[in-house]
């Protein structure tokens, strides 16, 4: 699954693959550059990107991800 999501005014491509036990592997790209990757828990596919966006925004805001 893949979706473009705006975070802090910039567009990023989020791709997610199911890992089992309601866990999804998420990769965040800006163009061809991999920005970060992490896992999120979600009850359904509809919840994956909301959880991934919140996690990425929090990582950027606290400085865990440098853009």
């Amino acid at each position: 699954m893949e979706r473009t999501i705006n975070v802090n005014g910039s567009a990023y491509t989020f791709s997610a693959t199911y890992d089992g036990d309601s866990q999804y592997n998420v990769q965040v790209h800006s163009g061809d550059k991999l920005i970060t990757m992490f896992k999120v828990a979600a009850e359904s596919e509809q919840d994956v990107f909301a959880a991934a966006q919140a996690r990425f925004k929090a990582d950027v805001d606290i400085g865990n991800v440098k853009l």
Side-chain angles (χ1 to χ4, degrees):
M1 301 180 299
E2 189 172 283
R3 185 175 295 170
T4 300
I5 299 174
N6 286 318
V7 176
N8 294 346
S10 297
Y12 298 95
T13 303
F14 285 67
S15 57
T17 56
Y18 186 66
D19 192 27
D21 293 330
S22 298
Q23 292 283 318
Y24 291 82
N25 293 317
V26 178
Q27 292 185 346
V28 181
H29 291 85
S30 177
D32 290 334
K33 180 180 176 189
L34 176 64
I35 303 296
T36 189
M37 50 194 305
F38 52 85
K39 289 188 178 194
V40 295
E43 293 292 323
S44 68
E45 287 185 10
Q46 291 96 357
D47 299 332
V48 172
F49 290 108
Q53 180 181 16
R55 163 72 189 269
F56 181 66
K57 184 174 182 340
D59 281 347
V60 170
D61 289 347
I62 63 174
N64 287 344
V65 174
K66 304 287 189 232
L67 301 176

